[in-house]
């Protein structure tokens, strides 16, 4: 049995029970404690969107050759190929024809307006303390995400996507109860995905593995940490403090003490700031992005791909009217995501399927979390209940 701050002591996570025997993951308390929104709409003068001299269009050329590589973000992933299930190589939407040999060549390609918007957005979102280093931080975000991607979505034996979803759903509840930062949740799930593939762990210790991943993420992202004894209490003392600390050491050694990760949430807030997205569009995108944590298929995609697909789908579901300035801002934000259109549509199909069944599935922690007034009730939007209509949007 496990506890997560509820008034009773019924099992919250029991992987040995059938799906219909597990009780609803969350109670109504989640509606009273919505996620702390660190995103604030960026107020920009209308003159910001005035025409600016751009780089010549001939520098960006469409390449449809099957031999080209997958250039996710302006060539950052030019060494890797994305293969579909039938063995075909996905075609990149836009790529610089001669490739990118260094970061200086990339700076020459990016329009000055986009660089200015990226620097401004990072500064407004408190992702960069000094504007002087904002662009370098953005470039580092692009590089590191390719190093942390997983090659496939295969899980070790005895583990299924359903088991993983139940564990991630429980971690979302514990994370919400402790009022951790949103980045902590994304890092914890990322560490869990890597640990499942690099560390030998039994089904009996799966819950311990998830809790330790959340504990490690909190050590990296949070200012105040829970006591180890408190974490054992949340697991109903199924494991001892010694077992928890021993699992922590095992994970750190297995991951070679590499806990670096740029979450897709940062890319989402960055793109939304550049695109001048409304607060409701951002909340809807954050909801769709968190749903991706429950989907095992999403682990193979880069964070910026997940963020771009979530924001794009959010805009289409809500159908917010755009001004000419808003259209120009969206086109500028779209230039950051220059990946495969096939990969983008695949992610949107996964998110559409997850959103269509989120209201009646057993792992509904995210659905309840984003149904509160603080999140503008985005999970209960009528446009998300019709899966067929959502899949039609993604075509």
């Amino acid at each position: 049995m496990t506890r997560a701050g509820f008034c009773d002591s019924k099992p919250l996570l029991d992987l040995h029970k059938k799906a219909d025997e597990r009780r609803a993951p969350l109670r109504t308390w989640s509606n009273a404690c919505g996620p702390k929104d660190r995103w604030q709409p960026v107020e920009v003068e209308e003159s910001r969107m005035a025409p600016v001299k751009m780089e010549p269009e001939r520098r960006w050329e469409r390449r449809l050759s099957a031999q080209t590589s997958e250039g996710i973000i302006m060539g950052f992933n030019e060494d890797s190929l994305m293969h579909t299930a039938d063995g075909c190589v996905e075609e990149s939407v836009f790529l610089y024809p001669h490739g990118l040999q260094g970061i200086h060549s990339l700076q020459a390609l990016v329009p000055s307006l986009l660089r200015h918007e990226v620097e401004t957005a990072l500064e407004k979102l408190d992702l960069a303390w000094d504007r002087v280093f904002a662009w370098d931080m953005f470039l580092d975000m692009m590089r590191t995400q390719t190093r942390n991607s997983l090659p496939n979505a295969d899980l070790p034996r005895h583990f299924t996507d359903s088991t993983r979803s139940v564990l991630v759903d429980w971690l979302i509840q514990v994370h919400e109860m402790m009022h951790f930062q949103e980045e902590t949740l994304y890092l914890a799930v990322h560490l869990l995905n890597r640990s499942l593939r690099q560390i030998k762990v039994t089904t009996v210790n799966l819950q311990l593995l998830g809790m330790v991943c959340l504990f490690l993420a909190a050590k990296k992202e949070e200012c105040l940490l829970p006591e180890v004894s408190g974490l054992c209490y949340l697991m109903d003392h199924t494991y001892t403090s010694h077992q928890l600390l021993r699992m922590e050491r095992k994970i750190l050694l297995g991951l070679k003490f590499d806990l670096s990760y740029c979450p897709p949430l940062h890319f989402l807030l960055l793109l939304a700031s550049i695109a001048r997205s409304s607060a409701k569009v951002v909340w809807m995108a954050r909801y769709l992005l968190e749903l991706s944590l429950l989907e095992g298929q999403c682990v193979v995609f880069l964070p910026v791909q997940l963020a771009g697909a979530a924001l794009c789908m959010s805009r289409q579901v809500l159908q917010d009217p755009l001004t000419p300035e808003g259209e120009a801002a969206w086109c500028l934000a779209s230039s950051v995501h220059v990946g495969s259109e096939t990969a983008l549509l695949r992610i949107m199909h996964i998110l559409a399927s997850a959103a269509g069944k989120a209201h009646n599935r057993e792992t509904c922690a995210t659905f309840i979390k984003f149904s509160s007034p603080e999140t503008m009730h985005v999970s209960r939007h009528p446009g998300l209940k019709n899966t067929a209509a959502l899949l039609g949007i993604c075509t």
Side-chain angles (χ1 to χ4, degrees):
M1 294 192 300
T2 57
R3 297 190 182 97
F6 301 102
C7 56
D8 55 17
S9 59
K10 294 181 181 180
L12 179 62
L13 177 68
D14 193 346
L15 301 177
H16 302 286
K17 285 190 175 183
K18 297 182 180 179
D20 54 356
E21 294 179 355
R22 300 193 192 102
R23 69 188 182 93
L26 283 177
R27 297 294 180 94
T28 55
W29 62 268
S30 63
N31 292 330
C33 54
K36 307 298 183 296
D37 185 15
R38 298 177 60 190
W39 179 86
Q40 296 295 335
V42 180
E43 298 181 359
V44 184
E45 300 177 0
E46 295 183 359
S47 60
R48 287 277 298 279
M49 296 310 299
V52 178
K53 183 179 179 180
M54 307 290 287
E55 291 288 332
E57 292 185 358
R58 54 186 170 83
R59 308 196 70 159
W60 298 96
E61 297 181 9
R62 184 179 295 271
R63 297 186 67 186
L64 299 179
S65 172
Q67 285 78 25
T68 57
S69 56
E70 175 78 357
I72 302 301
I73 306 298
M74 294 177 270
F76 273 99
N77 198 21
E78 56 186 353
D79 293 332
S80 61
L81 289 174
M82 182 78 72
H83 295 271
T84 58
D86 54 2
C88 298
V89 180
E90 292 184 358
E91 299 169 351
S92 301
V93 180
F94 289 102
L95 273 178
Y96 186 58
H98 304 296
L100 299 175
Q101 303 301 325
I103 207 60
H104 299 291
S105 61
L106 177 64
Q107 293 178 354
L109 293 176
V110 178
S112 57
L113 178 59
L114 177 59
R115 176 169 179 171
H116 174 76
E117 291 295 321
V118 168
E119 292 175 345
T120 303
L122 288 176
E123 187 178 24
K124 291 291 181 66
L125 294 169
D126 290 331
L127 295 179
W129 289 354
D130 194 333
R131 188 189 180 97
V132 176
F133 306 105
W135 180 248
D136 292 328
M137 292 182 63
F138 172 71
L139 298 180
D140 187 67
M141 290 167 62
M142 296 296 125
R143 295 191 192 96
T144 55
Q145 65 167 348
T146 60
R147 293 199 299 264
N148 293 326
S149 60
L150 298 176
N152 54 66
D154 298 335
L155 288 171
R157 294 180 58 188
H158 311 302
F159 296 126
T160 63
D161 287 335
S162 177
T163 303
R164 177 190 172 278
S165 297
V166 172
L167 178 59
V168 172
D169 186 79
W170 179 73
L171 289 178
I172 292 174
Q173 298 175 60
V174 176
H175 168 272
E176 182 73 4
M177 185 201 68
M178 292 185 174
H179 301 288
F180 283 158
Q181 301 291 333
E182 292 299 307
E183 292 85 350
T184 304
L185 175 62
Y186 285 92
L187 177 58
V189 176
H190 174 70
L191 296 178
L192 174 65
N193 293 331
R194 291 176 57 196
S195 300
L196 285 174
R197 290 159 176 81
Q198 299 183 22
I199 298 175
K200 291 183 179 180
V201 60
T202 62
T203 306
V204 177
N205 292 327
L206 187 59
Q207 184 183 11
L208 177 62
L209 177 68
M211 177 61 82
V212 173
C213 288
L214 183 63
F215 187 42
L216 287 173
K219 284 186 173 182
K220 187 174 184 294
E221 300 289 346
E222 304 293 334
C223 297
L224 300 176
L225 295 175
E227 296 288 341
V228 174
S229 58
L231 299 179
C232 294
Y233 170 79
L234 291 177
M235 296 183 289
D236 200 32
H237 297 288
T238 306
Y239 312 96
T240 64
S241 300
H242 177 69
Q243 288 177 303
L244 191 147
L245 295 176
R246 187 170 58 185
M247 178 63 75
E248 180 185 28
R249 182 169 59 252
K250 184 177 181 180
I251 293 177
L252 288 173
L253 292 174
L255 301 182
K256 299 180 180 179
F257 289 84
D258 181 14
L259 305 182
S260 62
Y261 180 62
C262 184
L265 180 64
H266 286 177
F267 289 103
L268 173 62
L269 298 180
L270 176 63
L271 295 176
S273 179
I274 296 174
R276 313 292 194 272
S277 299
S278 64
K280 191 165 187 178
V281 169
V282 176
W283 277 117
M284 177 65 75
R286 290 177 67 166
Y287 169 60
L288 296 172
L289 191 62
E290 190 162 310
L291 284 179
S292 70
L293 297 178
L294 299 169
E295 304 298 322
Q297 310 170 63
C298 290
V299 301
V300 299
F301 298 107
L302 297 178
V304 73
Q305 288 180 304
L306 296 171
L311 185 60
C312 183
M313 186 173 174
S314 173
R315 284 166 43 87
Q316 295 189 32
V317 169
L318 296 176
Q319 292 293 318
D320 275 2
L322 287 178
T323 62
E325 293 79 7
E327 284 288 357
W330 172 248
C331 291
L332 188 61
S334 301
S335 65
V336 177
H337 185 281
V338 199
S340 167
E341 185 178 0
T342 305
L344 185 67
L345 291 177
R346 261 164 49 197
I347 299 173
M348 292 178 67
H349 272 81
I350 295 173
L351 297 182
S353 178
K357 60 185 180 183
H359 60 285
N360 56 9
R361 65 189 298 182
E362 58 175 0
T363 52
C364 58
T366 299
F367 174 82
I368 299 177
K369 175 181 176 181
F370 283 87
S371 65
S372 62
E374 291 82 0
T375 60
M376 306 181 74
H377 308 283
V378 291
S379 65
R380 299 186 181 275
H381 192 277
L384 295 176
K385 295 182 179 180
N386 191 342
T387 305
L390 287 175
L391 294 175
I393 287 177
C394 301
T395 57

mmCIF file of all heavy atoms in Angstrom, residues 14 27 40 51 65 71 86-87 95 131 150 168 184 246 260 266 297 311 337 376 379 388:
data_model
loop_
_atom_site.group_PDB
_atom_site.id
_atom_site.type_symbol
_atom_site.label_atom_id
_atom_site.label_comp_id
_atom_site.label_asym_id
_atom_site.label_seq_id
_atom_site.Cartn_x
_atom_site.Cartn_y
_atom_site.Cartn_z
ATOM 1 N N ASP A 14 -0.855 -0.229 -6.977
ATOM 2 C CA ASP A 14 -0.726 -1.674 -6.805
ATOM 3 C C ASP A 14 -0.649 -2.282 -8.187
ATOM 4 O O ASP A 14 -1.654 -2.464 -8.865
ATOM 5 C CB ASP A 14 -1.917 -2.234 -6.036
ATOM 6 C CG ASP A 14 -1.649 -3.665 -5.567
ATOM 7 O OD1 ASP A 14 -0.688 -4.267 -6.074
ATOM 8 O OD2 ASP A 14 -2.390 -4.157 -4.696
ATOM 9 N N ARG A 27 -8.296 12.512 -5.688
ATOM 10 C CA ARG A 27 -9.526 13.006 -5.078
ATOM 11 C C ARG A 27 -9.711 14.466 -5.463
ATOM 12 O O ARG A 27 -8.922 15.055 -6.185
ATOM 13 C CB ARG A 27 -9.444 12.861 -3.553
ATOM 14 C CG ARG A 27 -9.317 11.416 -3.090
ATOM 15 C CD ARG A 27 -10.569 10.611 -3.401
ATOM 16 N NE ARG A 27 -10.426 9.225 -2.962
ATOM 17 C CZ ARG A 27 -10.835 8.789 -1.804
ATOM 18 N NH1 ARG A 27 -11.393 9.606 -0.942
ATOM 19 N NH2 ARG A 27 -10.687 7.518 -1.480
ATOM 20 N N GLN A 40 4.027 33.894 -17.621
ATOM 21 C CA GLN A 40 3.247 35.112 -17.693
ATOM 22 C C GLN A 40 3.281 35.622 -19.117
ATOM 23 O O GLN A 40 4.333 35.635 -19.746
ATOM 24 C CB GLN A 40 3.816 36.192 -16.751
ATOM 25 C CG GLN A 40 3.739 35.817 -15.280
ATOM 26 C CD GLN A 40 2.327 35.702 -14.775
ATOM 27 O OE1 GLN A 40 1.430 36.319 -15.342
ATOM 28 N NE2 GLN A 40 2.115 34.937 -13.727
ATOM 29 N N PRO A 51 8.119 45.180 -39.881
ATOM 30 C CA PRO A 51 8.996 44.446 -40.809
ATOM 31 C C PRO A 51 10.460 44.729 -40.518
ATOM 32 O O PRO A 51 10.872 45.853 -40.305
ATOM 33 C CB PRO A 51 8.589 45.002 -42.181
ATOM 34 C CG PRO A 51 7.198 45.504 -41.979
ATOM 35 C CD PRO A 51 7.143 46.024 -40.574
ATOM 36 N N SER A 65 15.222 15.075 -50.644
ATOM 37 C CA SER A 65 15.999 13.877 -50.957
ATOM 38 C C SER A 65 15.967 12.910 -49.783
ATOM 39 O O SER A 65 16.043 13.303 -48.636
ATOM 40 C CB SER A 65 17.447 14.268 -51.275
ATOM 41 O OG SER A 65 18.244 13.111 -51.390
ATOM 42 N N GLY A 71 17.028 17.091 -39.720
ATOM 43 C CA GLY A 71 17.442 18.341 -39.117
ATOM 44 C C GLY A 71 16.347 18.889 -38.260
ATOM 45 O O GLY A 71 15.454 19.568 -38.744
ATOM 46 N N ASP A 86 8.226 1.309 -41.658
ATOM 47 C CA ASP A 86 8.406 0.550 -42.890
ATOM 48 C C ASP A 86 9.811 0.673 -43.453
ATOM 49 O O ASP A 86 10.086 0.259 -44.572
ATOM 50 C CB ASP A 86 7.396 1.007 -43.948
ATOM 51 C CG ASP A 86 7.454 2.504 -44.176
ATOM 52 O OD1 ASP A 86 8.303 3.158 -43.542
ATOM 53 O OD2 ASP A 86 6.655 3.006 -44.977
ATOM 54 N N GLY A 87 10.746 1.263 -42.678
ATOM 55 C CA GLY A 87 12.124 1.334 -43.112
ATOM 56 C C GLY A 87 12.477 2.537 -43.941
ATOM 57 O O GLY A 87 13.613 2.689 -44.368
ATOM 58 N N LEU A 95 16.208 22.397 -44.455
ATOM 59 C CA LEU A 95 17.595 22.184 -44.058
ATOM 60 C C LEU A 95 18.486 23.099 -44.873
ATOM 61 O O LEU A 95 18.218 23.345 -46.051
ATOM 62 C CB LEU A 95 18.025 20.731 -44.301
ATOM 63 C CG LEU A 95 17.751 19.731 -43.169
ATOM 64 C CD1 LEU A 95 18.198 18.360 -43.602
ATOM 65 C CD2 LEU A 95 18.449 20.147 -41.908
ATOM 66 N N ARG A 131 20.848 38.683 -20.205
ATOM 67 C CA ARG A 131 20.521 38.655 -21.623
ATOM 68 C C ARG A 131 21.753 38.412 -22.488
ATOM 69 O O ARG A 131 21.650 37.866 -23.600
ATOM 70 C CB ARG A 131 19.850 39.976 -22.006
ATOM 71 C CG ARG A 131 19.291 39.997 -23.427
ATOM 72 C CD ARG A 131 18.843 41.400 -23.792
ATOM 73 N NE ARG A 131 18.308 41.437 -25.133
ATOM 74 C CZ ARG A 131 17.018 41.373 -25.430
ATOM 75 N NH1 ARG A 131 16.132 41.251 -24.459
ATOM 76 N NH2 ARG A 131 16.594 41.410 -26.693
ATOM 77 N N LEU A 150 16.243 9.045 -26.378
ATOM 78 C CA LEU A 150 16.300 7.587 -26.322
ATOM 79 C C LEU A 150 16.131 7.012 -27.724
ATOM 80 O O LEU A 150 15.330 7.519 -28.515
ATOM 81 C CB LEU A 150 15.205 7.045 -25.399
ATOM 82 C CG LEU A 150 15.305 7.497 -23.936
ATOM 83 C CD1 LEU A 150 14.122 6.984 -23.137
ATOM 84 C CD2 LEU A 150 16.604 7.008 -23.316
ATOM 85 N N VAL A 168 3.897 6.462 -13.581
ATOM 86 C CA VAL A 168 4.029 7.892 -13.877
ATOM 87 C C VAL A 168 2.826 8.661 -13.325
ATOM 88 O O VAL A 168 2.973 9.767 -12.783
ATOM 89 C CB VAL A 168 4.175 8.113 -15.392
ATOM 90 C CG1 VAL A 168 4.119 9.602 -15.726
ATOM 91 C CG2 VAL A 168 5.486 7.523 -15.896
ATOM 92 N N THR A 184 10.616 19.642 -12.146
ATOM 93 C CA THR A 184 10.971 18.458 -11.362
ATOM 94 C C THR A 184 10.258 17.224 -11.882
ATOM 95 O O THR A 184 10.841 16.135 -11.965
ATOM 96 C CB THR A 184 10.620 18.685 -9.880
ATOM 97 O OG1 THR A 184 11.265 19.877 -9.411
ATOM 98 C CG2 THR A 184 11.057 17.515 -9.029
ATOM 99 N N ARG A 246 20.122 3.171 -1.097
ATOM 100 C CA ARG A 246 20.893 2.243 -1.917
ATOM 101 C C ARG A 246 20.441 2.298 -3.371
ATOM 102 O O ARG A 246 21.263 2.234 -4.296
ATOM 103 C CB ARG A 246 20.746 0.821 -1.367
ATOM 104 C CG ARG A 246 21.656 -0.185 -2.049
ATOM 105 C CD ARG A 246 21.645 -1.508 -1.312
ATOM 106 N NE ARG A 246 20.289 -2.051 -1.216
ATOM 107 C CZ ARG A 246 19.983 -3.157 -0.525
ATOM 108 N NH1 ARG A 246 20.934 -3.798 0.138
ATOM 109 N NH2 ARG A 246 18.746 -3.595 -0.482
ATOM 110 N N SER A 260 21.546 15.948 -16.281
ATOM 111 C CA SER A 260 21.211 17.127 -17.084
ATOM 112 C C SER A 260 20.069 16.815 -18.037
ATOM 113 O O SER A 260 20.007 15.732 -18.624
ATOM 114 C CB SER A 260 22.436 17.579 -17.884
ATOM 115 O OG SER A 260 22.853 16.565 -18.778
ATOM 116 N N HIS A 266 10.275 23.946 -21.089
ATOM 117 C CA HIS A 266 11.034 25.156 -21.390
ATOM 118 C C HIS A 266 10.876 25.548 -22.850
ATOM 119 O O HIS A 266 10.706 26.734 -23.173
ATOM 120 C CB HIS A 266 12.511 24.940 -21.055
ATOM 121 C CG HIS A 266 12.799 24.946 -19.596
ATOM 122 N ND1 HIS A 266 14.065 24.713 -19.074
ATOM 123 C CD2 HIS A 266 11.991 25.149 -18.522
ATOM 124 C CE1 HIS A 266 14.012 24.781 -17.755
ATOM 125 N NE2 HIS A 266 12.770 25.036 -17.395
ATOM 126 N N GLN A 297 5.286 5.905 -26.184
ATOM 127 C CA GLN A 297 5.753 6.164 -27.540
ATOM 128 C C GLN A 297 6.476 7.498 -27.664
ATOM 129 O O GLN A 297 7.226 7.710 -28.618
ATOM 130 C CB GLN A 297 4.575 6.150 -28.511
ATOM 131 C CG GLN A 297 3.675 4.940 -28.405
ATOM 132 C CD GLN A 297 2.414 5.109 -29.221
ATOM 133 O OE1 GLN A 297 2.448 5.237 -30.444
ATOM 134 N NE2 GLN A 297 1.281 5.114 -28.545
ATOM 135 N N LEU A 311 1.890 22.727 -28.743
ATOM 136 C CA LEU A 311 1.450 24.105 -28.981
ATOM 137 C C LEU A 311 0.638 24.202 -30.263
ATOM 138 O O LEU A 311 -0.386 24.904 -30.322
ATOM 139 C CB LEU A 311 2.665 25.032 -29.043
ATOM 140 C CG LEU A 311 2.362 26.527 -29.161
ATOM 141 C CD1 LEU A 311 1.546 27.003 -27.962
ATOM 142 C CD2 LEU A 311 3.654 27.335 -29.254
ATOM 143 N N HIS A 337 11.122 25.441 -34.890
ATOM 144 C CA HIS A 337 10.908 24.011 -35.088
ATOM 145 C C HIS A 337 10.963 23.721 -36.580
ATOM 146 O O HIS A 337 10.029 23.977 -37.318
ATOM 147 C CB HIS A 337 9.551 23.594 -34.513
ATOM 148 C CG HIS A 337 9.323 22.115 -34.580
ATOM 149 N ND1 HIS A 337 8.931 21.470 -35.716
ATOM 150 C CD2 HIS A 337 9.455 21.159 -33.627
ATOM 151 C CE1 HIS A 337 8.815 20.180 -35.479
ATOM 152 N NE2 HIS A 337 9.124 19.965 -34.212
ATOM 153 N N MET A 376 -7.811 27.064 -15.968
ATOM 154 C CA MET A 376 -8.841 27.472 -16.935
ATOM 155 C C MET A 376 -9.628 26.277 -17.484
ATOM 156 O O MET A 376 -10.158 26.330 -18.595
ATOM 157 C CB MET A 376 -8.206 28.269 -18.080
ATOM 158 C CG MET A 376 -7.375 29.460 -17.618
ATOM 159 S SD MET A 376 -6.640 30.424 -18.949
ATOM 160 C CE MET A 376 -8.106 31.279 -19.574
ATOM 161 N N SER A 379 -8.667 20.813 -19.471
ATOM 162 C CA SER A 379 -8.839 19.380 -19.717
ATOM 163 C C SER A 379 -10.289 19.010 -19.994
ATOM 164 O O SER A 379 -10.560 17.934 -20.541
ATOM 165 C CB SER A 379 -8.325 18.570 -18.522
ATOM 166 O OG SER A 379 -9.100 18.815 -17.368
ATOM 167 N N ALA A 388 -12.120 11.248 -32.792
ATOM 168 C CA ALA A 388 -12.131 11.251 -34.250
ATOM 169 C C ALA A 388 -11.915 12.654 -34.789
ATOM 170 O O ALA A 388 -11.170 12.864 -35.763
ATOM 171 C CB ALA A 388 -13.448 10.686 -34.763
#
